[in-house]
Amino acid sequence: MARLHLITYGCQMNEYDSERVAGLLRDQRYELTEDETQADLILLNTCAIREKAEEKVFSKLGELRHLKAANPGLVIGVMGCMAQLHQGAIRARAPQVDLVVGSPALARVADLVERVRRERRPVLETGEGPLVSIAARPRPGRLRAFVTVMEGCEKHCTFCVVPRTRGRERSHPPEAIVAEVRRLAADGCREVTLLGQTVNAYGRDLTPPTDLAELFARVNDVAGIERIRFTTSNPYNLTPTLIRAMRDVPKVCEWFHLPLQSGSNRILERMHRGYTRERYLDLVAALRDAVPEMAFSTDVIVGFPGETEEDFAQTLELVDRVGYDNVFAFRYSRRPGTPAADMPDQVPEVVKAGRNTRLLEAAGRAAAARAVALLGRTVEVLVDGVSKRSAGELAGRTRCNRVVNFDGRGRVAVGDLVLVSVTDVLPHSLRGALAGQPEEAECLSR
Ligand code: SAH
Ligand code: F3S
């Protein structure tokens, strides 16, 4: 066996891609090693969403240079979003790299590695390969797993590189997804998160076309799986059918990641997001109407070109109004080849930093108010291990993705679903007391 060291940057989809690549290479007799100095092949699965993510990769490549000097047989590869976006620049800045393979061609990674070895010269692949199988070789015993249900993105958000780095929208057939979820369940998995860049556009490219609501129903039928999550949704594609499915499919959790990006219509238009603040608020209202317990999280970009104080105030106001459980704030980062990179009125970094802080403060206040409302309530918890806070306690997550610590030693096992009544609300977690198994009482999902 040869040894493979895999380093993953960026999003959950990258984590999943890395597992798939590890699986493909295992078929070519590569086993994983944690120790980069022992590796015959080092692959960096990269992220290009913001400049900071890219800098990390270049600095890691710099570190790897001496390994290559010591072991000329070592193959170093860069895959994923940066590979697709910066193929030439990577070879120029890091000549120690032997292989550059973009996300749409990941299915070919094993062949490409072989080619590098055989031909003893660098290989660049940024075309589109066949759709890589989603069988991700799960590590047994995992309670939660991601399953990528569609690749690529065809939206035109003016700040975003993903459509360039990940290529066309390509959905995996529902049969393949269900088969993968069954395998995961057989290995002990209880919760799956269905992944896609615009996951709520799932299935429209298939023949016959299908959608996420139908996929929910199919995954719901898999015995052993208790919870279904999905991310990321685009408000533009959010249909009444999906809202109904969230209400009606029991295993789908009351948790919705709905990226806002901005609360100002002027900025949303410049971002080319395809919705207004009013439409966004209507969607939140419709979702809460269908599922009153729904928890929302979101992504917001601060300092998009041309964003004024007035625009930003509208974002703060909207964040306050929705009351998110979690807000991910990003300072706008200029991405090569995207329309926003060339827009006038770029916002100074110091202004972005100030807005970032104010946004997180506002988000924190709204989240705290939501958390306090949980005091005294009973929540369903999927037990996933011992508590990080106190070794004597167990920890798990609610359907709305909150961490709960509670004393259940001797009575409860990892993987159990239990009811816990909330006794304390802390900044990033809840504490509670074991209140029984879900069948024993009506579950108040959050
Ligand atoms: N498909 C997802 C987005 C994936 S990128 C969606 O539709 O929401 C994840 C998040 O990164 C985005 O929601 C956005 O908030 C942020 N992001 C993307 N491009 C960015 C950029 N150029 N600068 C700062 N943040 C960015
Ligand atoms: Fe990016 Fe917009 Fe697609 S944020 S991933 S282009 S939906």
Side-chain angles (χ1 to χ4, degrees), residues 49-50 159 197 232 259 261 299 301 330-333 335:
I49 200 83
R50 284 169 292 273
F159 51 81
Q197 293 294 342
T232 297
Q261 313 300 2
D299 294 342
I301 295 179
F330 302 106
R331 298 172 206 190
Y332 170 70
S333 169
R335 303 287 60 222

Side-chain angles (χ1 to χ4, degrees), residues 11 48-51 152-153 155 157-162 196-200 231-235 257-261 271 273 275 298-302 304 328-335 338 340:
C11 64
I49 200 83
R50 284 169 292 273
E51 202 176 340
C153 179
K155 291 272 189 297
C157 304
T158 54
F159 51 81
C160 187
V161 284
V162 170
Q197 293 294 342
T198 311
V199 71
N200 54 330
T231 196
T232 297
S233 301
N234 191 302
H257 184 67
L258 192 60
L260 167 68
Q261 313 300 2
M271 288 177 163
R273 286 290 288 179
Y275 55 86
T298 199
D299 294 342
V300 174
I301 295 179
V302 295
F304 183 81
F328 299 90
F330 302 106
R331 298 172 206 190
Y332 170 70
S333 169
R334 268 171 121 154
R335 303 287 60 222
T338 59

Side-chain angles (χ1 to χ4, degrees), residues 29-352:
R29 306 186 54 75
Y30 280 89
E31 67 183 1
L32 279 173
T33 172
E34 295 287 314
D35 181 357
E36 63 187 28
T37 64
Q38 296 298 312
D40 307 292
L41 169 63
I42 299 180
L43 289 176
L44 282 73
N45 192 6
T46 60
C47 170
I49 200 83
R50 284 169 292 273
E51 202 176 340
K52 227 161 75 188
E54 296 185 348
E55 283 159 10
K56 276 196 218 156
V57 171
F58 277 119
S59 102
K60 185 66 198 177
L61 285 172
E63 282 173 32
L64 293 178
R65 192 181 305 219
H66 69 274
L67 278 185
K68 178 88 172 179
N71 171 14
L74 170 67
V75 172
I76 300 179
V78 176
M79 55 186 203
C81 288
M82 255 179 93
Q84 191 72 13
L85 196 65
H86 296 301
Q87 27 199 291
I90 290 171
R91 286 280 309 148
R93 267 182 76 178
Q96 67 276 30
V97 170
D98 306 285
L99 171 65
V100 177
V101 46
S103 314
L106 279 188
R108 291 219 287 264
V109 71
D111 285 350
L112 296 170
V113 168
E114 267 326 289
R115 221 168 92 196
V116 172
R117 290 218 180 279
R118 205 174 48 239
E119 298 176 11
R120 299 188 171 281
R121 64 179 181 84
V123 168
L124 241 83
E125 179 53 81
T126 54
E128 188 174 277
L131 199 55
V132 58
S133 148
I134 57 165
R137 320 297 160 117
R139 275 170 280 138
R142 231 178 349 182
L143 281 180
R144 300 197 198 95
F146 300 123
V147 178
T148 292
V149 302
M150 70 187 292
E151 317 281 340
C153 179
E154 289 175 24
K155 291 272 189 297
H156 300 278
C157 304
T158 54
F159 51 81
C160 187
V161 284
V162 170
R164 285 184 65 199
T165 62
R166 288 195 168 263
R168 285 185 305 132
E169 263 179 36
R170 293 188 286 173
S171 298
H172 290 278
E175 298 75 23
I177 295 165
V178 170
E180 169 72 349
V181 174
R182 283 214 186 94
R183 265 194 298 273
L184 287 164
D187 276 341
C189 176
R190 314 292 301 275
E191 176 179 310
V192 286
T193 302
L194 309 176
L195 295 180
Q197 293 294 342
T198 311
V199 71
N200 54 330
Y202 170 77
R204 60 184 178 177
D205 56 314
L206 293 173
T207 1
T210 176
D211 63 15
L212 192 59
E214 277 185 43
L215 187 63
F216 283 167
R218 289 189 181 220
V219 175
N220 193 73
D221 288 343
V222 177
I225 296 297
E226 301 288 355
R227 291 178 172 180
I228 303 170
R229 303 186 193 279
F230 58 102
T231 196
T232 297
S233 301
N234 191 302
Y236 179 81
N237 299 86
L238 185 44
T239 60
T241 313
L242 186 71
I243 297 177
R244 275 196 301 277
M246 290 205 71
R247 183 194 61 197
D248 297 339
V249 183
K251 293 178 183 171
V252 175
C253 291
E254 298 75 24
W255 178 79
F256 209 111
H257 184 67
L258 192 60
L260 167 68
Q261 313 300 2
S262 170
S264 151
N265 284 340
R266 209 176 62 82
I267 297 298
L268 285 170
E269 202 177 319
R270 284 165 71 103
M271 288 177 163
H272 216 287
R273 286 290 288 179
Y275 55 86
T276 59
R277 63 181 271 123
E278 291 77 19
R279 163 95 179 126
Y280 186 95
L281 285 167
D282 283 350
L283 288 169
V284 168
L287 281 158
R288 284 215 163 113
D289 205 33
V291 185
E293 299 290 343
M294 190 77 83
F296 288 93
S297 62
T298 199
D299 294 342
V300 174
I301 295 179
V302 295
F304 183 81
E307 184 187 71
T308 61
E309 262 307 305
E310 166 80 49
D311 294 314
F312 180 62
Q314 292 193 17
T315 300
L316 288 182
E317 194 272 337
L318 198 149
V319 163
D320 206 42
R321 204 182 309 179
V322 173
Y324 295 99
D325 277 26
N326 216 341
V327 173
F328 299 90
F330 302 106
R331 298 172 206 190
Y332 170 70
S333 169
R334 268 171 121 154
R335 303 287 60 222
T338 59
D342 299 324
M343 286 183 185
D345 307 320
Q346 297 284 329
V347 174
E349 285 306 317
V350 49
V351 176
K352 289 180 197 167

